[in-house]
């Protein structure tokens, strides 16, 4: 069972990084523009900060995936600890911006998601997954069935976490 949990936790954190990086690559101005509207960083560095965030996400996701595939346990654990730190910084940053009371986009996805507590909760969720994966690095599922279920669970958890802020902003459907 630890191998199953390790795989789901690690993969979920890595998928979160990959999806975030992909969103930034597909809409490169979105994060930079959001950072400008957050009014935390000087305007002169927001472009570089947006590129750095995207680069860190890509490097961590790629390195972690390769480490998992080749069973480089120490590298995987290191990547997951760095990922946990990255997600924790995102959580603290989003909480700080939310507390300012500004109605601004988070800049974290391809859609206009407002910076609010749900963005913070998502980052905390990915932090927990990265920590869990780091603590259990080296454990892997024991058979094909566990691998299949781990991949399906990862897809479900990563999608649920990623969509959390947008889902919580949608009005109820079909009710009166």
């Amino acid at each position: 069972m630890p191998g199953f949990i390790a795989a789901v936790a690690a993969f979920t954190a890595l998928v979160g990084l990959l999806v975030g990086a992909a969103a930034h690559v597909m809409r490169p101005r979105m994060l930079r523009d959001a950072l400008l509207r957050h009014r935390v960083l000087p305007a002169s560095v927001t472009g570089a900060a947006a590129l750095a965030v995207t680069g860190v996400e890509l490097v961590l996701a790629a390195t972690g995936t390769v480490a998992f595939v080749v069973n480089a346990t120490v590298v995987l654990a290191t990547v997951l600890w760095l990922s946990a730190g990255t997600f924790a910084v995102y959580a603290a940053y989003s909480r700080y911006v939310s507390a300012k009371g500004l109605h601004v986009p988070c800049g974290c996805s391809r859609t206009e998601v407002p910076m609010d507590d749900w963005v913070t909760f998502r980052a905390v969720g990915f932090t927990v997954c990265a920590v869990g994966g780091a603590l259990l690095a080296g454990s892997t599922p024991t058979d094909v069935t566990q691998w299949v279920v781990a991949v399906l669970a990862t897809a479900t958890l990563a999608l649920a976490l990623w969509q959390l802020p947008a889902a919580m902003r949608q009005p109820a459907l079909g009710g009166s």
Side-chain angles (χ1 to χ4, degrees):
M1 190 59 134
F4 170 77
I5 294 169
V8 171
F11 288 158
T12 299
L14 296 174
V15 167
L17 291 166
L18 184 61
V19 170
H24 299 141
V25 168
M26 290 191 288
R27 296 198 57 198
R29 295 185 62 181
M30 184 168 258
L31 179 57
R32 187 205 67 203
D33 293 347
L35 290 173
L36 283 170
R37 292 183 62 193
H38 297 167
R39 292 187 253 153
V40 173
L41 301 172
S44 61
V45 301
T46 56
L51 281 173
V53 165
T54 304
V56 165
E57 290 172 342
L58 284 170
V59 167
L60 289 174
T63 306
T65 301
V66 169
F68 200 95
V69 169
V70 301
N71 200 25
T73 304
V74 173
V75 174
L76 178 61
T78 302
V79 165
L80 289 169
W81 283 118
L82 291 171
S83 299
T86 300
F87 285 125
V89 168
Y90 291 170
Y93 179 86
S94 63
R95 181 66 196 122
Y96 175 77
V97 173
S98 296
K100 289 171 64 173
L102 301 174
H103 298 287
V104 295
C106 75
C108 50
S109 68
R110 288 183 12 169
T111 59
E112 288 285 331
V113 175
M115 184 70 88
D116 61 14
D117 289 339
W118 293 111
V119 173
T120 302
F121 294 151
R122 175 179 58 196
V124 169
F126 281 122
T127 303
V128 169
C129 288
V131 168
L135 290 172
L136 296 171
S139 298
T140 58
T142 56
D143 60 36
V144 173
T145 303
Q146 279 192 1
W147 275 109
V148 170
V149 174
V151 169
L152 294 172
T154 296
T156 302
L157 182 56
L159 178 63
L161 280 172
W162 192 258
Q163 291 300 323
L164 178 67
M168 297 311 291
R169 302 292 296 179
Q170 298 297 319
L173 300 175
S176 48

